[in-house]
Amino acid sequence: MIIVYSMHSCPDCQILEEELTKYSSKFKVIDIGEHVLHLKEFLKIRDMHPAFKEVRENGWIGIPCFVLENGTITFNPEEVGLEASQL
């Protein structure tokens, strides 16, 4: 299962919400704004993982973020089978 870190109030995440719901068996969506524990979990990854280097350097949040089953991190919805034409 692919973990998706997102936030309901994030415009880019909102664009993907319908698709994520459609393929809900493939994705586990974690809303980092829903509970502080989710935010802490995400920040630990964001602050340590090399995939977030550009994100950190530019002061971005880094969502939506997709963590594949093998631990690979991507920010590209198309790499996990979602359409990202509006992002």
Side-chain angles (χ1 to χ4, degrees), residues 5 32 36 38-63 65 67 73 75:
Y5 289 99
I32 64 173
V36 71
H38 298 314
L39 178 60
K40 289 172 105 177
E41 176 183 320
F42 172 73
L43 289 176
K44 183 177 179 181
I45 296 168
R46 190 192 77 157
D47 291 348
M48 303 300 287
H49 199 285
F52 285 90
K53 183 179 186 290
E54 183 180 2
V55 169
R56 290 188 303 268
E57 288 174 349
N58 288 293
W60 301 331
I61 296 171
I63 55 174
C65 168
V67 181
I73 292 178
F75 305 102

Side-chain angles (χ1 to χ4, degrees), residues 2-72:
I2 298 169
I3 296 173
V4 182
Y5 289 99
S6 69
M7 183 178 246
H8 182 71
S9 59
C10 166
D12 290 337
C13 298
Q14 289 174 357
I15 291 169
L16 295 175
E17 277 184 26
E18 185 177 327
E19 271 196 280
L20 289 168
T21 302
K22 184 178 174 182
Y23 301 108
S24 62
S25 63
K26 183 178 176 182
F27 300 98
K28 177 182 178 184
V29 179
I30 298 175
D31 185 330
I32 64 173
E34 192 174 276
H35 196 284
V36 71
L37 292 177
H38 298 314
L39 178 60
K40 289 172 105 177
E41 176 183 320
F42 172 73
L43 289 176
K44 183 177 179 181
I45 296 168
R46 190 192 77 157
D47 291 348
M48 303 300 287
H49 199 285
F52 285 90
K53 183 179 186 290
E54 183 180 2
V55 169
R56 290 188 303 268
E57 288 174 349
N58 288 293
W60 301 331
I61 296 171
I63 55 174
C65 168
F66 305 92
V67 181
L68 284 59
E69 293 168 344
N70 67 3
T72 301

